[in-house]
Amino acid sequence: MSEKRTFLITTPIYYVNDVPHVGHAYTTIAADTLARARRLAGHDVFFLTGTDEHGQNIERIARERGIPEQQHCDEIAATFRRLWERLDVRYDRFIRTTEEVHRRGVLELWARLRKAKTPDGRDAVYQGTYSGWYCPRCEAFKDEEDLGSDHVCPDHELPCEWTEEQNFFFRLSAYEEWLRDLIATDRLFIRPESRKNEILGVIRQGLKDFSVSRARVKWGIPVPEEPDHVLYVWIDALSNYITALGFADHGESYRQYWEGADERLHLIGKDIIRFHCLYWPAVLHAAGLPVPTREFAQGFITKEGRKLSKTTGNVIDPVALAERLGPDAARYFLLREAPYGADWDFTDAAFVGRYNADLANDLGNLVSRALTMATKYCDAKVPPRPEPPSGPDRGLEQQLQDDAPVAWPYESGLRNRVLGRYEEIDFAGALAEVWAWISQLNQRIVQVEPWRLAREPGRRAELEAFLYRLLEAVRLVAALVSPVMPGSANRILDMLGLSARDPGPDDLDWGRLEPGASLGSVTPLFPRVEKKKETTVSDTPPPSPKEETDTRVDIADFARLELRAAKITAAEKIEGSKKLIKMQVDLGSETRQVVAGIAQTHGPEDLVGKTVVLVANLKPARLMGVESNGMVLAGSVGGNAVLCVFEDEVAPGTKVK
């Protein structure tokens, strides 16, 4: 085992303007997997995640919902916690920027920055006036060249506002040479390599000072010198990485996992690398504090070749993903389908296909066959541990060694390769190494034919030796995949008669199964899922008059529908139509336009204020030339539409299950 080291692993803290999306899940699963892999290797790890809860967007959304900002933050933060529990994510600390310990830490950092001097002796923080195009949704000023002549934000496709206000600024330009050297020498190790080159390119263009306070925002941490200002995200949100550890009090966790850590790693999306790789290190350096040592930027996920967007309904709901085939299948697919750091495209067919091929066929079959044979031929007990072969005729043992040296017996090279891949944040590579071994083990069962050995009493010893090695291999596979699929690893251990627990470095040694120990019950690990054939109307023959057709749908199909509470804020009839009404509905995080054929039973003035059920992930449609983004649910009673509404008050955006 390598020398024990101390690691801090963080995700970005996620903004509570809306419920979690698949990008949040992707980063957090990756961080959880890396933390588990490092603990498996025997290291000391602290895993931090949380939520960013200040800013103008939170003010706006809470105001639109008619609730206090803190209540909104509490509700959305709770959805993140529930999702991490559902996805089997185990963090050491969940930080919220509305916590008192965070506020005190931010003010301590600010006090240090106010005293700080740049390398050329100027104040690191100064007051100035900023003039520019400001996007309220991004809560950021935009460069003129990024907007075009219409000054529309490229991210939110909404007009920016020309703004002039007095702010506090951080003198980033004074740290240009220091940052270039830090990154070029890999003292700040940025990967993938393309992201490092991107950041060095930004430095070559010249760094600009950036604003660290806002006068127009009230929901945040006030600036001590200017109570009408609040500290902006680059000081407020980014500082969570140290405030969560007890920076304000120079606490034990801060000393151990920030000051004393062998590595301080931030897993981030590629869209926020500039802030984490330039702003954050420079701020810490100016304050006289240790800086991050490693940054890894993940790529973007698209779906069916299109950018993910709630507006268009092209989304991947992480809750539905976990419910579809289980949390371990979701974790496995997200980390196996593409190298972490690359952009890739999600398709449901690929998800089901990899589940059936890798999990049901390969891993599931290996576990089932090994445990079933041991139960049948060894009375559901671990067979005797084989002695090392000796003598001129070593029979089957020698064949196993000669024919498959990697697969049999297990050797440290495979263990080290898998752990090395995890350490490189190459999750797909680590899993590929394990699955290559799984494939060899399945082939070995076919080649040896243990059922044939069982029919020959004189070969009992060979059968038991084979089955012991096979069960040990299954145990080791469980240990090696446990960072990605912790729940399934524990189920395998249970079938082996072992207590469910997080495996450690000792569990990676060969020969840990005790002969004679009772095995557990054999249960399907990953039941196979039948793919649904894609058909058109012409492909499907009509049923005969006497043929009954089953129109029921399974839970997976239902889970694909995103049903949410939507409050109608405005309504009007569509000119030229007797049935259609155009409505604006509040979904908590956004406002949608929806068209419904309910005008004959509902007047516009009766609809405003009602909270209805909306199918929120339908593709946009045009009715009488008016675009509709969603469908309001209603029943039909005597030919009249009756809206589906709630008995009690329900917050807009609440998911309907």
Side-chain angles (χ1 to χ4, degrees):
M1 189 188 81
S2 59
E3 181 183 353
K4 185 173 182 178
R5 304 176 69 202
T6 301
F7 295 111
L8 173 69
I9 301 172
T10 78
T11 71
I13 52 172
Y14 304 121
Y15 201 41
V16 295
N17 61 323
D18 201 355
V19 296
H21 57 64
V22 74
H24 300 140
Y26 190 30
T27 313
T28 311
I29 289 169
D32 181 61
T33 296
L34 182 59
R36 290 175 183 270
R38 285 175 161 176
R39 293 187 184 112
L40 179 63
H43 300 303
D44 181 16
V45 182
F46 193 99
F47 169 27
L48 171 66
T49 189
T51 45
D52 176 8
E53 303 184 5
H54 287 144
Q56 189 175 23
N57 272 338
I58 305 304
E59 286 181 358
R60 175 185 59 79
I61 294 168
R63 182 173 61 251
E64 291 173 355
R65 293 184 62 193
I67 61 175
E69 291 91 346
Q70 189 63 59
Q71 180 182 339
H72 170 82
C73 294
D74 292 345
E75 291 176 2
I76 301 299
T79 67
F80 279 92
R81 287 182 182 270
R82 287 195 296 270
L83 178 60
W84 302 154
E85 182 178 0
R86 183 70 185 94
L87 290 171
D88 216 349
V89 169
R90 188 181 303 164
Y91 46 78
D92 295 290
R93 176 76 160 91
F94 188 100
I95 180 67
R96 299 178 58 187
T97 58
T98 50
E99 292 181 35
E100 175 62 17
V101 70
H102 176 75
R103 186 192 69 83
R104 292 194 296 108
V106 168
L107 293 179
E108 172 63 23
L109 177 63
W110 178 250
R112 294 185 181 220
L113 290 173
R114 291 291 283 151
K115 298 175 183 176
K117 299 293 183 181
T118 64
D120 58 8
R122 292 178 292 170
D123 291 338
V125 171
Y126 63 94
Q127 285 186 289
T129 301
Y130 193 100
S131 300
W133 293 100
Y134 182 83
C135 173
R137 295 294 180 119
C138 291
E139 296 189 47
F141 287 96
K142 298 291 184 177
D143 291 333
E144 190 88 25
E145 58 268 23
D146 294 335
L147 299 177
S149 59
D150 54 0
H151 302 113
V152 170
C153 171
D155 296 320
H156 292 97
E157 300 180 356
L158 293 171
C160 293
E161 305 168 357
W162 180 259
T163 301
E164 294 185 11
E165 65 177 41
Q166 188 179 42
N167 294 158
F168 285 91
F169 284 77
F170 178 78
R171 209 179 296 274
L172 182 66
S173 57
Y175 297 91
E176 192 172 293
E177 289 302 318
W178 176 80
L179 284 165
R180 180 185 291 110
D181 181 66
L182 179 76
I183 294 165
T185 60
D186 281 339
R187 286 183 290 126
L188 176 54
F189 189 67
I190 302 173
R191 290 298 182 273
E193 186 82 24
S194 59
R195 301 301 164 206
K196 171 185 174 180
N197 295 334
E198 178 183 337
I199 291 298
L200 289 173
V202 171
I203 295 174
R204 282 193 295 271
Q205 295 173 9
L207 299 181
K208 299 178 181 178
D209 300 347
F210 60 88
S211 170
V212 292
S213 73
R214 286 290 182 271
R216 58 166 52 200
V217 183
K218 304 304 177 188
W219 181 244
I221 300 173
V223 178
E225 300 88 339
E226 296 282 350
D228 289 339
H229 290 231
V230 299
L231 291 167
Y232 190 46
V233 60
W234 316 130
I235 301 299
D236 182 353
L238 286 174
S239 64
N240 89 90
Y241 302 125
I242 58 175
T243 65
L245 301 174
F247 166 68
D249 304 310
H250 201 242
E252 181 180 351
S253 292
Y254 174 76
R255 297 194 304 273
Q256 181 174 355
Y257 294 108
W258 191 265
E259 290 183 340
D262 293 289
E263 180 179 273
R264 297 175 286 273
L265 165 66
H266 299 320
L267 289 185
I268 52 176
K270 67 178 184 179
D271 54 333
I272 55 175
I273 59 170
R274 183 180 304 191
F275 315 129
H276 282 78
C277 299
L278 296 174
Y279 292 16
W280 177 230
V283 164
L284 288 169
H285 183 64
L289 302 173
V291 303
T293 61
R294 190 179 183 188
E295 304 271 2
F296 197 100
Q298 76 177 36
F300 287 163
I301 303 176
T302 55
K303 182 184 178 186
E304 311 289 352
R306 296 163 54 215
K307 181 180 178 181
L308 298 180
S309 168
K310 281 199 170 185
T311 303
T312 64
N314 193 50
V315 298
I316 304 170
D317 181 356
V319 176
L321 196 64
E323 296 295 334
R324 175 84 190 276
L325 298 174
D328 277 359
R331 289 170 64 110
Y332 176 82
F333 181 72
L334 289 174
L335 297 183
R336 179 71 195 274
E337 188 65 4
Y340 192 69
D343 294 343
W344 61 283
D345 189 60
F346 175 96
T347 67
D348 191 69
F351 183 30
V352 175
R354 192 171 281 283
Y355 172 92
N356 281 333
D358 295 8
L359 301 182
N361 288 359
D362 294 344
L363 178 57
N365 275 344
L366 172 64
V367 173
S368 177
R369 295 163 87 185
L371 269 297
T372 299
M373 288 189 293
T375 298
K376 182 176 181 180
Y377 302 136
C378 301
D379 195 26
K381 296 186 183 300
V382 177
R385 185 181 290 112
E387 296 293 332
S390 60
D393 184 12
R394 290 180 279 180
L396 179 61
E397 285 287 326
Q398 183 63 53
Q399 292 179 31
L400 295 175
Q401 301 261 3
D402 292 343
D403 295 349
V406 173
W408 209 290
Y410 173 77
E411 41 87 27
S412 61
L414 174 63
R415 174 189 63 201
N416 293 339
R417 287 196 303 276
V418 173
L419 293 179
R421 293 277 194 172
Y422 280 132
E423 185 57 34
E424 293 168 7
I425 315 184
D426 179 10
F427 306 116
L431 292 168
E433 292 276 5
V434 179
W435 252 255
W437 193 37
I438 290 172
S439 177
Q440 292 175 12
L441 293 168
N442 277 318
Q443 292 172 20
R444 179 58 61 198
I445 293 172
V446 174
Q447 292 166 352
V448 170
E449 297 181 318
W451 47 89
R452 180 176 56 82
L453 295 179
R455 294 196 295 267
E456 302 179 36
R459 305 188 71 179
R460 179 71 185 180
E462 290 185 27
L463 172 65
E464 290 176 341
F466 176 83
L467 291 178
Y468 182 89
R469 290 184 179 277
L470 190 61
L471 293 176
E472 260 296 277
V474 167
R475 185 188 65 79
L476 286 158
V477 165
L480 291 171
V481 302
S482 64
V484 178
M485 299 187 293
S488 299
N490 278 330
R491 289 178 60 198
I492 294 173
L493 293 179
D494 184 65
M495 283 187 265
L496 288 169
L498 303 172
S499 59
R501 59 186 175 83
D502 292 337
D506 291 344
D507 295 302
L508 296 176
D509 293 335
W510 180 272
R512 307 291 292 186
L513 282 176
E514 287 299 323
S518 296
L519 299 171
S521 300
V522 183
T523 58
L525 194 60
F526 294 103
R528 185 174 175 82
V529 174
E530 293 302 322
K531 291 185 180 180
K532 297 178 177 62
K533 181 184 176 184
E534 297 293 333
T535 61
T536 64
V537 173
S538 60
D539 292 330
T540 308
S544 65
K546 295 182 180 180
E547 181 182 352
E548 293 185 2
T549 58
D550 187 354
T551 59
R552 294 175 297 179
V553 298
D554 61 30
I555 190 66
D557 290 326
F558 178 75
R560 296 178 63 187
L561 293 178
E562 183 181 343
L563 303 178
R564 296 198 177 274
K567 188 171 185 177
I568 302 172
T569 57
E572 61 180 297
K573 288 186 177 181
I574 294 179
E575 186 176 353
S577 174
K578 295 181 179 179
K579 295 183 177 180
L580 299 181
I581 286 184
K582 178 176 68 175
M583 296 170 285
Q584 305 300 317
V585 298
D586 177 15
L587 280 172
S589 59
E590 61 176 310
T591 298
R592 296 264 195 99
Q593 177 173 286
V594 180
V595 177
I598 57 176
Q600 291 178 317
T601 51
H602 294 79
E605 64 282 356
D606 299 325
L607 293 170
V608 175
K610 289 185 181 294
T611 300
V612 297
V613 180
L614 184 79
V615 182
N617 62 337
L618 286 182
K619 293 181 179 179
R622 299 189 74 82
L623 303 173
M624 295 284 293
V626 179
E627 184 171 86
S628 179
N629 283 290
M631 181 175 71
V632 173
L633 295 187
S636 179
V637 179
N640 296 323
V642 179
L643 288 173
C644 295
V645 296
F646 296 89
E647 292 182 350
D648 297 319
E649 186 67 22
V650 175
T654 299
K655 188 167 184 179
V656 180
K657 298 181 179 180

